């Protein structure tokens, strides 16, 4: 099997690539990534010597490039993770989200459709999406696969649009697609613009912890390696044309989560209990801030027998441990130094 994974230098992509390269030595795994600010090849340094792994630098919005790539390789599967992924950036610059998330996805769909037009037996285009496409919940209820789409940020609108295109290619051209919509992920190698690594970084440096609004918004957190395992399960066993929701059954208000994190950091940094909580600073709320996301993942659990493996407290301990042990990674990412890694490592080869 030749599998193209897009966005493999990012957070979830790097965990997915690692799982596939190590678990399936008989597969050829191609990582296509344009290395935006969120793409960091140091995330995959441990795989550089693996013979079943190839990195390709390229942009999914570049149609001729994508066409040529598919002329050069015939892929059996595509796992599409490349995206602009940060809600706050989407509020600042929606167009970049339209380009990457919508146009980039349609470029890949076209290339796959052309490649598999004559014979799509055993082929599969797997699109990775988010629970944010379903909108915002009140205090009750869960998102199921039947929940109507109601995206409310430019990020979720662009992801919703890409999901619609993927389903349209299934219905119109019989492209063998499968989709999943996942809740918030946490774990190692996440870019420190997202809540958990941002808090860890700020607490470590005794900087204020910015909590939007009153910190009452609720997210359902999933250990990133559990997401990668779900991707493996759905890629291999998911039914063509179907969607699977993935979630952690693990809801936290932002303020409770930040306080939990503060306690873990105090302990790990040998600071007096309560030291880090003093850094909590309530700041202006995000525009259009969705109140609550919560996933019902019973379809995936019942039909494909996946379930989350880690309790949140344990996962958060591990996550904090990783960021503290990998201070160098965090420093390079926050200083921008990681951006020179590709030049040093790849352009001289
Ligand atoms: P990320 O921002 O960490 O990584 C995105 C990767 O895509 C980066 O390596 C970046 O360089 C690459 N990329 C961006 N634009 C590209 C382009 N035009 N061409 C090629 N590569 C490009 O994102 P993430 O958090 O790992 O999310 C991965 C996927 O999972 C996204 O599709 C996202 O919508 C989805 N998702 C994320 C979460 C979450 O909590 N992070 C939850 C559910 C779903
Ligand atoms: P984030 O990690 O950006 O994920 P998403 O917006 O996709 O859910 O944010 C998680 C929650 O934390 C969200 O409700 C916004 C909030 N938040 C803060 O309160 N402060 C911050 O500095 C950030 C980045 C997020």
């Amino acid at each position: 099997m030749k599998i193209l994974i897009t966005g493999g230098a990012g957070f979830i992509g790097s965990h997915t690539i690692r799982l596939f390269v190590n678990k399936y030595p008989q597969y050829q795994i191609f990582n296509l990534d344009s290395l935006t600010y969120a793409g960091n090849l140091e995330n995959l340094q441990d795989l550089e010597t693996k013979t079943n792994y190839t990195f390709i630098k390229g942009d999914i919005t570049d149609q001729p490039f994508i066409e040529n790539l598919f002329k050069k390789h015939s892929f059996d599967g595509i796992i599409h993770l490349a995206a602009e992924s940060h809600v706050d950036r989407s509020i600042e610059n929606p167009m970049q989200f339209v380009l990457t998330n919508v146009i980039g996805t349609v470029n890949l769909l076209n290339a796959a459709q052309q490649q598999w037009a004559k014979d799509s037996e055993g082929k599969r285009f797997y699109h990775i999406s988010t629970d944010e496409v379903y909108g915002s919940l009140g205090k009750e209820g869960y998102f199921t696969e039947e929940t109507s789409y109601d995206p409310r940020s430019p990020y979720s609108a662009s992801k919703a649009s890409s999901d619609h295109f993927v389903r349209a290619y299934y219905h119109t051209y019989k492209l063998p697609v499968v989709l999943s919509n996942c809740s918030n992920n946490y774990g190692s190698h996440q870019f420190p613009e997202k809540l958990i690594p941002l808090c860890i970084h700020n607490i470590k440096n005794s900087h204020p912890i910015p909590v939007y609004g009153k910190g009452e918004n609720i997210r359902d957190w999933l250990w990133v390696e559990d997401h990668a395992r779900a991707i493996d399960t759905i890629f291999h066993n998911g039914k063509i044309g179907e969607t699977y929701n993935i979630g952690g059954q693990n809801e936290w208000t932002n303020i409770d989560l930040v306080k939990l994190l503060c306690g873990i950091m105090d302990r790990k940094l040998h600071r007096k209990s309560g030291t880090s909580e003093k850094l909590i600073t309530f700041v202006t709320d995000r525009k259009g801030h969705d109140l609550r996301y919560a996933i019902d993942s019973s379809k995936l659990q019942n039909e494909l027998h996946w379930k989350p493996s880690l309790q949140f407290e344990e996962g958060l301990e591990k996550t904090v441990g990783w960021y503290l042990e990998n201070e160098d990674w965090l420093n390079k990412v926050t200083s921008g130094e990681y951006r020179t890694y590709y030049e040093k490592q790849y352009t001289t080869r």
Side-chain angles (χ1 to χ4, degrees):
M1 270 233 218
K2 257 188 171 183
I3 301 174
L4 178 70
I5 301 184
T6 69
F11 169 48
I12 302 168
S14 60
H15 285 277
T16 306
I17 295 253
R18 179 169 299 102
L19 184 152
F20 272 74
V21 168
N22 289 328
K23 185 168 172 188
Y24 302 107
Q26 73 277 27
Y27 293 180
Q28 282 299 320
I29 305 296
F30 294 83
N31 172 13
L32 170 64
D33 200 298
S34 63
L35 301 182
T36 67
Y37 78 93
N40 181 354
L41 275 183
E42 285 192 60
N43 293 353
L44 292 167
Q45 238 172 339
D46 54 317
L47 301 184
E48 272 162 12
T49 54
K50 299 272 183 181
T51 50
N52 64 334
Y53 169 69
T54 309
F55 173 69
I56 302 166
K57 187 169 188 290
D59 191 330
I60 58 168
T61 66
D62 181 346
Q63 191 201 346
F65 167 80
I66 293 293
E67 272 179 16
N68 280 331
L69 181 71
F70 278 70
K71 275 188 195 137
K72 204 164 151 198
H73 299 280
S74 68
F75 297 113
D76 301 295
I78 295 155
I79 305 179
H80 175 37
L81 293 116
E84 288 292 337
S85 69
H86 189 41
V87 175
D88 293 326
R89 286 183 191 256
S90 82
I91 295 168
E92 291 303 312
N93 181 11
M95 192 52 85
Q96 190 54 48
F97 286 68
V98 176
L99 292 173
T100 297
N101 299 358
V102 186
I103 303 202
T105 300
V106 177
N107 275 336
L108 289 167
L109 287 167
N110 281 336
Q113 197 242 324
Q114 276 170 26
Q115 185 156 94
W116 302 338
K118 289 210 182 77
D119 181 13
S120 64
E121 185 59 35
K123 309 287 193 271
R124 165 161 305 223
F125 187 109
Y126 180 5
H127 179 63
I128 307 295
S129 192
T130 165
D131 61 356
E132 303 191 24
V133 297
Y134 297 122
S136 179
L137 291 164
K139 295 241 178 291
E140 305 279 308
Y142 296 92
F143 297 134
T144 72
E145 288 80 1
E146 273 70 50
T147 304
S148 300
Y149 274 31
D150 183 22
R152 294 152 44 105
S153 74
Y155 164 64
S156 54
S158 68
K159 290 296 290 187
S161 172
S162 65
D163 294 9
H164 290 319
F165 272 104
V166 173
R167 292 193 184 101
Y169 274 62
Y170 169 66
H171 289 288
T172 311
Y173 308 109
K174 307 283 175 272
L175 189 74
V177 309
V178 65
L179 297 90
S180 59
N181 294 79
C182 189
S183 63
N184 286 62
N185 286 213
Y186 72 98
S188 70
H189 301 91
Q190 187 171 30
F191 196 81
E193 63 185 354
K194 304 275 169 69
L195 181 67
I196 291 179
L198 182 136
C199 288
I200 296 173
H201 179 67
N202 285 16
I203 295 170
K204 190 170 133 270
N205 296 299
S206 300
H207 291 157
I209 305 169
V211 174
Y212 297 167
K214 295 183 182 154
E216 286 168 345
N217 305 68
I218 295 171
R219 299 291 182 263
D220 172 0
W221 294 93
L222 179 71
W223 172 242
V224 63
E225 292 182 27
D226 282 336
H227 189 186
R229 273 196 310 110
I231 291 173
D232 178 21
T233 301
I234 294 165
F235 179 72
H236 288 98
N237 304 319
K239 273 206 206 123
I240 296 294
E242 297 272 322
T243 296
Y244 298 87
N245 279 356
I246 313 171
Q249 289 169 290
N250 178 41
E251 293 181 51
W252 287 78
T253 61
N254 292 338
I255 189 66
D256 286 346
L257 163 51
V258 168
K259 286 183 177 166
L260 177 65
L261 207 46
C262 286
I264 297 175
M265 292 290 285
D266 282 345
R267 234 182 326 101
K268 292 216 185 255
L269 295 171
H270 310 292
R271 291 178 181 167
K272 206 170 124 232
S273 167
T275 309
S276 301
E277 276 199 25
K278 294 202 185 96
L279 298 169
I280 294 175
T281 311
F282 293 97
V283 299
T284 311
D285 209 353
R286 172 185 282 172
K287 287 191 181 87
H289 198 171
D290 287 342
L291 178 65
R292 175 171 167 253
Y293 304 141
I295 278 274
D296 174 350
S297 64
S298 50
K299 177 178 176 185
L300 177 61
Q301 302 211 23
N302 295 335
E303 291 182 16
L304 303 184
H305 313 298
W306 169 94
K307 60 175 196 292
S309 71
L310 274 192
Q311 289 299 312
F312 191 48
E313 284 80 354
E314 187 189 347
L316 213 50
E317 285 265 350
K318 276 185 154 193
T319 302
V320 170
W322 186 85
Y323 285 98
L324 294 181
E325 279 155 28
N326 292 275
E327 215 174 338
D328 194 40
W329 184 92
L330 204 50
N331 289 341
K332 280 185 183 159
V333 170
T334 44
S335 70
E337 202 193 311
Y338 72 105
R339 308 210 69 163
T340 57
Y341 177 80
Y342 172 77
E343 275 72 32
K344 276 205 299 248
Q345 200 62 22
Y346 284 87
T347 51
T348 50
R349 284 189 177 183

